[in-house]
Amino acid sequence: MIFAGGLIAQLGSADQKDTLLPQVGSASLQLAVAIDEPQSHYRLQDVQTTAEPVTGGWQLNGRKSVIIGGQSAGLILVSARTHHETRDEKGISLFLVDPQARGVRRRVFDTMDGRKACELYLDDVFVDNDALLGEPGNALPALRYQQGRCIAAQCAEAVGSMEAACALTLDYLKTRQQFGQPIGKFQALQHRMVDMRIELDQATSMTLLAACVADQADSDERSRILSAAKFIVSRASRFVADQGIQLHGGI
């Protein structure tokens, strides 16, 4: 919701904001963002999905990949190219697409973390002019800015998960008995638990830094900090999860 809601808040008209944001805030409307494509490899400007102007609106054609939550979203924000060539930074627009509209097809699948996502197929999908967010061809800066805010939010979510994993693991070390005593008394396991906490503390610090810059104006420095936070938190998350599994004896 941070990504989609942020895009509406930044690009949407007054009517779009008044109509959609209260529904998002009350959880009566679920949104998803479709920006990745099979060939894009996380490059926001690599957009082959097209939107051509037609009488009364736009006609969309293309495919979007790995849309988290897209299988149950009431509206999907779709990036499409309205002019210029593939991978040009200009010419990318953002549209509100009803997944129940004619010509829209979704293929739902499970992700590795247990959530669901979908592939989105657009075949001559008509949307009216009110479905366009912002000015045609100028959506990329907003996509990059709101993606940065999402990175900070995902870091915070990961830190919360790591805190829970550390707490569960510490409790297990205090209660699991082996050789007549809690396994937490063994120094080798204590060292592992300390390493987990160190990684968590580093990730927490980087997440706080990311949160401090998330709402600042877009800049190279903001991007550098957010990228560094994403790297540190991702590394720490994997380490904490791996060590937690090991200290639980693989349970």
Side-chain angles (χ1 to χ4, degrees):
M1 289 306 116
I2 291 176
F3 200 178
L7 287 168
I8 292 173
Q10 184 172 349
L11 294 177
S13 65
D15 287 342
Q16 288 170 330
K17 294 176 186 178
D18 291 342
T19 301
L20 297 175
L21 292 181
Q23 297 181 59
V24 174
S26 65
S28 61
L29 174 64
Q30 180 184 343
L31 301 176
V33 180
I35 53 176
D36 291 320
E37 299 185 359
Q39 82 294 335
S40 63
H41 301 292
Y42 307 105
R43 293 186 294 264
L44 293 177
Q45 75 276 16
D46 190 346
V47 178
Q48 293 185 4
T49 298
T50 61
E52 298 181 359
V54 295
T55 302
W58 301 81
Q59 184 171 279
L60 277 62
N61 284 280
R63 175 184 173 186
K64 293 294 183 178
S65 297
V66 196
I67 306 164
I68 301 298
Q71 78 286 345
S72 56
L75 285 175
I76 300 178
L77 280 67
V78 176
S79 63
R81 186 164 295 281
T82 49
H83 55 273
H84 286 73
E85 298 297 325
T86 300
R87 297 188 183 180
D88 283 348
E89 297 201 352
K90 293 185 178 181
I92 299 172
S93 303
L94 201 61
F95 296 88
L96 294 163
V97 175
D98 181 353
Q100 302 300 326
R102 183 177 180 179
V104 179
R105 182 168 62 89
R106 289 179 287 187
R107 181 178 66 82
V108 181
F109 57 89
D110 295 323
T111 61
M112 291 183 65
D113 61 0
R115 294 183 293 174
K116 289 185 179 296
C118 74
E119 301 283 297
L120 185 70
Y121 301 88
L122 306 167
D123 185 13
D124 291 337
V125 177
F126 173 80
V127 296
D128 58 31
N129 288 317
D130 291 337
L132 176 66
L133 283 177
E135 298 179 359
N138 292 320
L140 185 60
L143 288 170
R144 283 178 171 163
Y145 180 75
Q146 296 300 334
Q147 188 181 61
R149 295 179 71 243
C150 286
I151 289 173
Q154 287 179 317
C155 287
E157 182 181 26
V159 165
S161 298
M162 283 187 278
E163 288 177 345
C166 284
L168 288 169
T169 303
L170 181 59
D171 182 68
Y172 185 78
L173 294 181
K174 291 179 178 179
T175 56
R176 174 74 165 88
Q177 297 284 324
Q178 189 71 28
F179 304 111
Q181 60 182 335
I183 61 175
K185 288 186 175 292
F186 299 123
Q187 192 175 55
L189 303 190
Q190 293 174 3
H191 288 172
R192 285 199 177 197
M193 190 70 235
V194 169
D195 289 341
M196 290 173 65
R197 286 298 315 186
I198 290 173
E199 290 290 331
L200 172 57
D201 288 345
Q202 288 180 337
T204 300
S205 295
M206 287 304 297
T207 297
L208 290 172
L209 181 59
C212 288
V213 304
D215 288 332
Q216 293 180 6
D218 197 16
S219 65
D220 289 342
E221 179 65 10
R222 176 180 180 267
S223 297
R224 186 187 68 81
I225 291 173
L226 291 170
S227 296
K230 182 179 179 180
F231 171 77
I232 294 296
V233 172
S234 297
R235 183 193 68 187
S237 297
R238 175 169 292 185
F239 180 84
V240 168
D242 287 347
Q243 293 301 309
I245 290 170
Q246 290 299 316
L247 291 174
H248 275 81
I251 296 176

